[in-house]
Amino acid sequence: MADTAGAEKERDALRAAHLYYLQDLTMEAIATELHTSRSSVSRLLGYARDTGLVEIQVKSPLDRLSSLQERIRVKHGVTAHVVPVPDSTAEVDRLERVAMSAARILGPFFDSNMTMGIAWGSTLSAVSRHLQEKVTHNSQIVQLNGASNARTTGIGYASEIMSRFGTAFGAYVQQFPVPAFFDDPRTKEVLWRERSIRRVLEIQKHMDIALFGLGSAYADVPSHVYVGGYLDDDDFQQLGRSQVVGDVATVFYRADGSSEDIPMNARSSGPSLEWLRKVSRRVCVVSGRSKLPALRGALAAGVMTDLIIDETTAHSLLED
Amino acid sequence: MADTAGAEKERDALRAAHLYYLQDLTMEAIATELHTSRSSVSRLLGYARDTGLVEIQVKSPLDRLSSLQERIRVKHGVTAHVVPVPDSTAEVDRLERVAMSAARILGPFFDSNMTMGIAWGSTLSAVSRHLQEKVTHNSQIVQLNGASNARTTGIGYASEIMSRFGTAFGAYVQQFPVPAFFDDPRTKEVLWRERSIRRVLEIQKHMDIALFGLGSAYADVPSHVYVGGYLDDDDFQQLGRSQVVGDVATVFYRADGSSEDIPMNARSSGPSLEWLRKVSRRVCVVSGRSKLPALRGALAAGVMTDLIIDETTAHSLLED
DNA sequence: AAGCTCGTTGCACATATGTGCAGACGAAAG
DNA sequence: CTTTCGTCTGCACATATGTGCAACGAGCTT
C-alpha cells in the first residue's frame, strides 16, 4: 500500500501541477477539484516542483543574450552562464546563490544513460544541497578524485555530496575510495593497476559530463583541499615552487594552463587535465573574485566548456 | 530610444526571472536589487512569462505515465496528452481549459525553421487565444484551408487566428485566400493551377506540424463549418448520404476513416487526408464527448500523431 | 506652449500562497 | 489490544503576490 500511496501522491501532484501551471487555476479551485484543502494543494505543488514533475527554465533569448556571456564566449571560447548577484553580497551568500543557480542550470544537462563525474569541495557541496530531483534511468555519478587524507577519511564529506547527486537524479553512485593525495607516487601507480580501481577509472573515462569547482590557495575562503589537512608545509612549498595558481579535482596547474612537471600531480588521485579535456561537456562553477587567478589559469588550460559564474567575477574576468 | 527601452525591459525581466525562479528570491528582495518597486517586479515577471523568457513544463514521469495516455497509445497508436478536467465542467469551460493546455503543450513542439499548418474553427480559435510567446526565426504559419463563403469572407475570423499564431511565434503568416468550399469542383481545379495558389500549396506540402480540431455535425456546439453558412441544405443531405461523421480542415471522412468518393471533398479547399498523413507531426485538439464519433473516425483515418484531449472524453474513447 | 496619447510607476488594497501546529490516521512494534 | 512513531490533514495566521487607480513623464500634434 505504501507504493500505491506514493503513486497516488504523484498522480495528484501531477494533476495539480497541470491545473496550476498549464490551466492557470488558483490553488483554491484545484483544492475543490481534488477534494482536499488548499494547503494540501500548496504542498502538492511544492512536491511537484522539488521532485521534478515541473520544470522551470529561464532562457536568454538566443539573439541578444547578455553581452557579458557573449563577450566571455568570444574571449575565452566557453559558454558562460552568468548568475546575477549584487556586488555588495557577502562571499558566502554569493556562493550560495551561484550554487543554487548552478544546480538548476545543471538539470537539463544531465539525462538518462549518462555518466557525470563530480569533484568535491565547498562549491560542489553547496551545489549538491540545491539540486532538484530529476528522474533518470541507467545513469551514474562517479567521483573524480579521492577524498581521504592523513587525518580523516574525508569520506563523510565527499560521499555526502555524491549521494545527494545520486538521489537527486536517481543515479547509481560510484565512489572512489582512495586518498586525495598519495604520499608516494609509486603507491598510486601500483594501486592504479588494481582491478577495482581500474573499474572506476574506466567509468570516469566514459563520462559525459564533468562537474567541478576550482581550488585556489589565495581564495578568501581557501578551498577545502588547502585547509582540510590534505597538504603539509612541504607540499605547500612545493606548490609554490611550481608556480601553481589553482587546481581542478586536486590536479594543479600554472597561470599559463600548463600542468606538466608539477610533482604533486604525480601523487594526486584526480584525472589529468589532458584526460579531462576529452570529456565532451565540462562544467565549472566559480564564485568570488578571489578565484580569478585560478579561473584564468583554468581557462588557459581549456579544462571547461561551460562556466557558471557570478556576475561580479564575470565582469572582473573581462577587465584588461 | 524606444528600442533601447524595450531592450532594457527585457534585460530587467530576464534578471528578475533568474532571481525569482533560479534563486528563489522573493519579489521584495528582487525589487531592492533592481531599485524598483515590488509591484514592478511582479509585472516584470508576468512579462517574462508571457514573453517566453521563462518556460514552465509539466512532465509526466515517462515510466508510469497516466495509464490513460498509455492505453490510448496502445489502442490507437497516438501520443495522447490528457487534460484533467472535472466531469461536471460545462462544455465551454472544458473547451477553454483544453485549449489553454494545448497552447502550452504546443510550445515545445514548434521551433525555428519550422512550418506549421493550422486549420480554423472554434477549437483553434480558443487555442490561439491562449498561446504564449516564443521567439523563433525563419518559421512560418500556413493556413490549411480557405475560409470565405457565400455570406462572408470569413477572413476576419480565420486571419485573426492565424495572426495570433504568427505573433506568438514571431513567424511569417501565409494566408490561404480561397473559399472553404467551391461551388463547382472545376473552379478548384483551375484555381489550383494558379501560381499564387500553388505557392501556398507548396508551403503546405513542406510543413513540419499540422494543427487542427475536428468538425462534427453532431457536436453540442456544432462546429463552425456547420453553422457559419458554409453549407446549404443540399450539402448537408449529401454529407448524410456519404455517411460522413466528421471533418478535418473541411475534408470529410466516414466512421471507418475512409474519405474516398465523398463528393464534397472535391469541392473542399483543405488538404486531402492522404496528403495530410505525410506530415511528420499532426496534432489534433479535441474537447467534449459529442466529438467522439468524429474522433473515432479520425483515429481510424490515421490523421493524427498527437491527440490533446480532455479527460472525460478520453475515458469515453476507451470504453468498449 | 498647451494639449494629447501612451506607457510606466508606486501605492493601497484584495487575493493568493506558504507554513507552524495540533489533531487524526495507519502501519509496525510490543 | 495498546503503544509508538511517522505521515498527512486542515486550520489559522503570516507572508507574498496581483491589480485598479491616480499620478507622472516622454514624445507628438496643434
Side-chain angles (χ1 to χ4, degrees), chain A residues 54-84:
Chain A
V54 172
E55 197 172 305
I56 300 183
Q57 286 177 294
V58 176
K59 29 187 54 171
S60 331
L62 300 171
D63 14 307
R64 197 191 307 136
L65 41 72
S66 138
S67 63
L68 216 46
Q69 321 211 4
E70 185 54 27
R71 279 157 61 204
I72 292 180
R73 157 164 293 293
V74 170
K75 188 167 171 192
H76 299 288
V78 304
T79 303
H81 306 264
V82 176
V83 177

Side-chain angles (χ1 to χ4, degrees), chain B residues 255-278:
Chain B
D256 63 0
S258 66
S259 58
E260 296 78 36
D261 309 317
I262 295 178
M264 281 296 293
N265 287 345
R267 294 163 43 204
S268 162
S269 59
S272 74
L273 300 193
E274 179 189 15
W275 231 63
L276 188 56
R277 276 188 290 259
K278 290 185 180 149

Side-chain angles (χ1 to χ4, degrees), chain A residues 26-48:
Chain A
T26 147
M27 292 187 176
E28 190 74 51
I30 298 174
T32 309
E33 292 200 9
L34 255 59
H35 305 293
T36 180
S37 72
R38 192 185 52 69
S39 21
S40 295
V41 175
S42 170
R43 282 186 268 253
L44 275 182
L45 289 173
Y47 171 80

Side-chain angles (χ1 to χ4, degrees), chain A residues 174-253:
Chain A
Q174 180 56 60
Q175 315 245 147
F176 196 20
V178 297
F181 298 103
F182 290 87
D183 292 330
D184 184 335
R186 281 169 301 184
T187 316
K188 171 180 169 184
E189 274 175 43
V190 177
L191 194 55
W192 255 222
R193 288 196 215 105
E194 283 290 317
R195 282 193 306 170
S196 66
I197 296 297
R198 295 210 350 228
R199 199 175 54 77
V200 178
L201 294 173
E202 202 55 33
I203 295 174
Q204 286 182 1
K205 191 179 291 182
H206 293 111
M207 67 188 165
D208 305 288
I209 305 189
L211 178 65
F212 49 86
L214 293 181
S216 164
Y218 314 122
D220 293 348
V221 186
S223 307
H224 202 267
V225 208
Y226 301 86
V227 293
Y230 289 88
L231 304 168
D232 60 28
D233 288 348
D234 284 351
D235 294 336
F236 273 111
Q237 286 182 18
Q238 208 179 80
L239 290 178
R241 277 196 301 276
S242 305
Q243 298 182 290
V244 160
V245 298
D247 79 86
V248 165
T250 57
V251 173
F252 301 91
Y253 53 81

Side-chain angles (χ1 to χ4, degrees), chain A residues 7 10 14-15 17-19 21-25 33 52-61 63-64 82-84 86 97 100-101 104 137 311, chain B residues 7 10 14-15 17-19 21-25 33 52-61 63-64 82-84 86 97 100-101 104 137 311:
Chain A
E10 184 166 70
L14 203 52
R15 173 176 274 253
H18 193 123
L19 295 172
Y21 290 108
L22 260 33
Q23 292 187 24
D24 283 346
L25 295 200
E33 292 200 9
L53 293 180
V54 172
E55 197 172 305
I56 300 183
Q57 286 177 294
V58 176
K59 29 187 54 171
S60 331
D63 14 307
R64 197 191 307 136
V82 176
V83 177
R97 289 173 62 163
M100 188 179 296
S101 303
R104 304 200 174 172
H137 302 287
E311 195 169 33
Chain B
E10 185 165 68
L14 204 52
R15 172 176 273 255
H18 192 126
L19 295 172
Y21 290 107
L22 261 32
Q23 294 187 21
D24 283 346
L25 296 199
E33 291 200 11
L53 293 180
V54 172
E55 198 173 305
I56 300 182
Q57 287 178 295
V58 176
K59 28 188 51 171
S60 331
D63 15 307
R64 196 190 309 135
V82 175
V83 177
R97 289 173 62 164
M100 188 179 297
S101 302
R104 303 199 174 172
H137 302 286
E311 195 168 33

Side-chain angles (χ1 to χ4, degrees), chain B residues 71 75 289 296 314-320:
Chain B
R71 280 156 61 202
K75 188 168 172 191
R289 298 181 52 169
R296 287 221 161 82
H315 264 119
S316 307
L317 174 62
L318 287 172
E319 279 166 18
D320 66 45

